[in-house]
Amino acid sequence: MCGRFALTLPNDAMAHLFAASPANDLPVLPNYNICPTNPVHVIKAEGGGRQLVAMRWGFLPQWYQSETAGPLLINARAETLAQKPAFAEACRARRCLIPATGFYEWVKESDGNRLPWYIHATEPAPLAFAGIWQSWGGEAQKTCAIVTTAANQTISAIHHRMPLVLEPHHWPLWLGEAGKGAAALMQPGREGQLQMHRVAPQVNSNRAAGPELIEPFFEDPSHADAGADAAQTQDSASPAKTIRAPEPRLI
């Protein structure tokens, strides 16, 4: 799943990267702790071009009488996306991209503590999550959800699900610009695409903010200097050389 993420790319750079026309009401960036129901950046294809717009993170089906009339739908499983009544129409006609610098997942320890991890691209580039969107209510509020798949081998060390991360050459197909066949994209991300490290428990709070949220965290302070030095020379394709994930404790 994906329940929290970060985005640091400036709006103009994002518009250029996705070849999209930006709206005037985009959320403030950087944001290192984007939470459910927050407004998020979304790229959609409409009217013959791409638009970079703001949407509520939390998909609202048409039959919801209020924003709290049912479950908070921040994720949509790829395996059932086309069959679920809440998502089926959006899956066919309203697919989008949701950019992120990285996202968080938590491992639950036997003592009940939740240990946060930060996952990001191995390359210095933002991620593009597959999403779906929906207009809701009399004011046509725009809402969205992130599509998830089973975790690949890398992410399965800490969680059994992951966002569907799309590479640039797949963006046109997901957005409906390259015809049909988007279902073929709904697979776990390729190995080597992502890396991860532990971060401080401050991110457990939805009020936490600041770049320190994504900095590597070490339980033993005496390891911090050595870990920082190792991180500078780490091969991005081999993140486990610096920080090793624990045995899976799925949440």
Side-chain angles (χ1 to χ4, degrees), residues 219-242:
E219 293 284 1
D220 183 353
S222 66
H223 293 166
D225 292 339
D229 291 340
Q232 291 178 0
T233 59
Q234 177 188 8
D235 180 352
S236 64
S238 305
K241 292 180 180 179
T242 301

Side-chain angles (χ1 to χ4, degrees), residues 38 54-55 229:
N38 286 170
M55 294 191 186
D229 291 340

Side-chain angles (χ1 to χ4, degrees), residues 34-109:
I34 299 172
C35 303
T37 74
N38 286 170
V40 297
H41 293 72
V42 171
I43 296 94
K44 63 175 183 173
E46 198 171 57
R50 294 180 185 176
Q51 301 174 17
L52 175 60
V53 300
M55 294 191 186
R56 175 190 189 266
W57 183 22
F59 190 96
L60 295 173
Q62 293 284 10
W63 59 82
Y64 275 25
Q65 297 300 308
S66 70
E67 293 183 1
T68 58
L72 180 58
L73 304 176
I74 61 171
N75 294 151
R77 296 174 67 95
E79 297 88 340
T80 57
L81 188 64
Q83 289 79 42
K84 290 284 186 180
F87 303 135
E89 184 181 352
C91 175
R92 291 190 297 270
R94 292 185 301 278
R95 298 188 299 269
C96 61
L97 303 173
I98 301 174
T101 304
F103 63 99
Y104 301 95
E105 286 296 357
W106 281 261
V107 172
K108 189 173 184 180
E109 296 284 83

Side-chain angles (χ1 to χ4, degrees), residues 27-217:
V28 175
L29 294 174
N31 188 341
Y32 295 89
N33 193 9
I34 299 172
C35 303
T37 74
N38 286 170
V40 297
H41 293 72
V42 171
I43 296 94
K44 63 175 183 173
E46 198 171 57
R50 294 180 185 176
Q51 301 174 17
L52 175 60
V53 300
M55 294 191 186
R56 175 190 189 266
W57 183 22
F59 190 96
L60 295 173
Q62 293 284 10
W63 59 82
Y64 275 25
Q65 297 300 308
S66 70
E67 293 183 1
T68 58
L72 180 58
L73 304 176
I74 61 171
N75 294 151
R77 296 174 67 95
E79 297 88 340
T80 57
L81 188 64
Q83 289 79 42
K84 290 284 186 180
F87 303 135
E89 184 181 352
C91 175
R92 291 190 297 270
R94 292 185 301 278
R95 298 188 299 269
C96 61
L97 303 173
I98 301 174
T101 304
F103 63 99
Y104 301 95
E105 286 296 357
W106 281 261
V107 172
K108 189 173 184 180
E109 296 284 83
S110 58
D111 59 5
N113 288 334
R114 298 174 69 236
L115 306 180
W117 289 74
Y118 181 65
I119 302 103
H120 58 100
T122 55
E123 302 295 332
L127 304 172
F129 299 151
I132 53 174
W133 67 275
Q134 169 80 35
S135 292
W136 175 84
E139 298 182 0
Q141 180 183 7
K142 301 298 188 293
T143 71
C144 65
I146 294 171
V147 179
T148 66
T149 70
N152 62 15
Q153 184 175 355
T154 301
I155 304 304
S156 66
I158 59 171
H159 204 281
H160 64 290
R161 303 290 298 177
M162 66 180 291
L164 173 54
V165 178
L166 297 174
E167 299 187 56
H169 61 280
H170 289 148
W171 297 349
L173 184 57
W174 184 257
L175 291 173
E177 300 168 333
K180 298 181 179 180
L185 302 178
M186 290 193 279
Q187 304 291 332
R190 63 176 174 82
E191 299 298 336
Q193 184 181 28
L194 301 172
Q195 59 183 345
M196 58 190 177
H197 58 259
R198 272 288 311 279
V199 292
Q202 281 84 348
V203 76
N204 291 355
S205 169
N206 59 11
R207 298 182 179 181
E212 63 274 11
L213 296 182
I214 66 172
E215 293 298 322
F217 174 76

